[in-house]
Amino acid sequence: MEISSELNKNNHQAAWLDKSHPNYNRWERARNLSVERGRLVKTFLEKYRTITNKKILDIGSGEGGTSSVLSENNFVVSVDLSLLRLQRQKVNFQIKNSVNSNALKLPFSDSSFDIIILQDVIEHLSDSENFISEIKRVLKSNGAIYLSTPNKLSIINILSDPHWGLPLVAVFKRETIRNIFLKNFRKSDMDRKDLAELISLSKILKMFSDEFEIRLQTKKVVENLFSNNEGIVWSNFHLSLIRALKKFSLDKFIIKIANDDFGMINKFFTPTFYLVMERKSI
């Protein structure tokens, strides 16, 4: 009863639950797709290892859909900076192991987890270098990371930023977004500390390739995108784009050219990277 009362109180204070906010519809769609997104994560991980009896850390766990899916046969710890989100997870998914913590200083011992989930998180962190050091610290020597994050250089995101729906925002740094775009178009969000600064595929490779075998999942995502797109798309622009491509029968062509290479298509067209990264043997 106490959790429910506190939850109702905090719901009225959260910008992402404010129906008058311009981004409310896309945030609501993302919340409603949290379980489907979790199933997608599990599907990608199962291509490379058995996901049973693992210790899994879900950082920036949001609504808790992914933690819920992976908890079926594993020990999952859900971490989020928002206490409200963790409270909602307990009510909606009965998440048992949750930690209210800053991702830059994780309260876990070295080599604690077999798998770490980073689902649309890394772009929101101001100190990605220290964050990567921290997740490497708590990941086991034979561990894996699931990472999804929007592509800074995707022409699709340049036309319509995935967080704000505005053109060009995707290519700018966090402070430029705050001082120019938010100042003129989203004044109510000026004080947000989790503003996204998108990153490129080249930067991801620079961050992780020294210690990890990196595998893109673009081809499978594109196939899913044109079959049901559950767990993948929730912005009006992207949904409209998919409908237009299918209307003009371009979906089969895009599925054909989609690949998991680190070349031009993924560098400049793929809107969101989905990656499984396995730690290399020493």
Side-chain angles (χ1 to χ4, degrees):
M1 191 70 177
E2 291 181 3
I3 290 178
S4 297
S5 298
E6 187 66 22
L7 196 57
N8 290 332
K9 177 183 175 183
N10 290 337
N11 279 349
H12 294 294
Q13 300 172 354
W16 40 279
L17 293 171
D18 179 4
K19 292 184 179 181
S20 66
H21 195 285
N23 282 359
Y24 176 79
N25 286 336
R26 73 175 64 195
W27 290 338
E28 179 70 5
R29 290 191 194 109
R31 285 193 289 274
N32 292 338
L33 290 172
S34 67
V35 172
E36 284 78 7
R37 295 176 74 194
R39 290 174 182 149
L40 192 66
V41 171
K42 186 178 180 184
T43 297
F44 289 146
L45 288 169
E46 285 177 333
K47 290 172 63 178
Y48 305 101
R49 53 184 61 202
T50 302
I51 310 302
T52 304
N53 298 322
K54 303 296 184 185
K55 290 184 177 179
I56 300 175
L57 180 61
D58 186 5
I59 301 177
S61 50
E63 289 298 298
T66 299
S67 289
S68 176
V69 170
L70 294 175
S71 291
E72 292 173 7
N73 297 298
N74 303 283
F75 177 80
V76 178
V77 178
S78 168
V79 173
D80 205 282
L81 187 59
S82 168
L83 183 58
L84 172 57
R85 284 194 169 97
L86 296 178
Q87 291 170 337
R88 286 169 60 89
Q89 291 178 15
K90 289 182 180 179
V91 172
N92 296 330
F93 295 110
Q94 293 75 54
I95 301 296
K96 297 178 181 179
N97 307 303
S98 60
V99 176
N100 183 216
S101 174
N102 189 318
L104 298 176
K105 193 173 183 180
L106 298 167
F108 307 111
S109 303
D110 294 359
S111 305
S112 295
F113 297 95
D114 299 291
I115 298 170
I116 294 177
I117 309 297
L118 304 176
Q119 195 170 197
D120 302 326
V121 169
I122 196 167
E123 69 271 17
H124 292 281
L125 301 175
S126 58
D127 192 347
S128 58
E129 186 173 333
N130 282 338
F131 172 63
I132 291 167
S133 296
E134 189 68 349
I135 59 175
K136 287 179 179 178
R137 179 184 68 79
V138 301
L139 183 68
K140 291 182 180 180
S141 59
N142 62 342
I145 296 173
Y146 170 83
L147 171 69
S148 64
T149 188
N151 178 7
K152 177 177 184 174
L153 300 180
S154 168
I155 186 63
I156 297 169
N157 290 338
I158 292 172
L159 291 172
S160 178
D161 175 82
H163 294 92
W164 306 103
L166 297 169
L168 301 178
V169 176
V171 299
F172 289 103
K173 291 188 176 294
R174 186 171 287 109
E175 287 311 306
T176 302
I177 294 170
R178 188 189 307 279
N179 295 330
I180 296 178
F181 287 94
L182 295 191
K183 186 176 181 180
N184 291 285
F185 298 102
R186 296 282 196 276
K187 288 185 179 180
S188 61
D189 291 303
M190 281 287 290
D191 296 327
R192 284 185 58 174
K193 300 184 185 301
D194 63 342
L195 291 184
E197 181 179 317
L198 305 195
I199 57 180
S200 65
L201 182 57
S202 296
K203 185 168 183 178
I204 292 173
L205 295 176
K206 185 177 180 181
M207 288 174 171
F208 292 101
S209 61
D210 60 331
E211 289 188 39
F212 292 86
E213 197 72 42
I214 302 174
R215 299 181 177 93
L216 277 163
Q217 308 298 312
T218 304
K219 191 165 184 63
K220 184 64 176 175
V221 168
V222 171
E223 290 171 358
N224 284 10
L225 195 63
F226 289 109
S227 59
N228 55 37
N229 70 65
E230 290 184 355
I232 300 175
V233 172
W234 49 85
S235 79
N236 289 332
F237 177 79
H238 290 84
L239 289 167
S240 298
L241 183 60
I242 291 169
R243 287 193 293 268
L245 291 169
K246 292 177 77 171
K247 181 179 179 180
F248 292 102
S249 301
L250 292 172
D251 49 327
K252 292 181 181 178
F253 170 72
I254 293 173
I255 290 171
K256 186 176 181 179
I257 66 170
N259 61 68
D260 297 329
D261 301 330
F262 300 138
M264 297 286 288
I265 288 175
N266 281 308
K267 283 183 177 179
F268 301 110
F269 290 95
T270 300
T272 299
F273 302 122
Y274 298 83
L275 309 104
V276 175
M277 306 188 291
E278 293 189 290
R279 209 160 200 173
K280 297 175 182 177
S281 299
I282 300 174

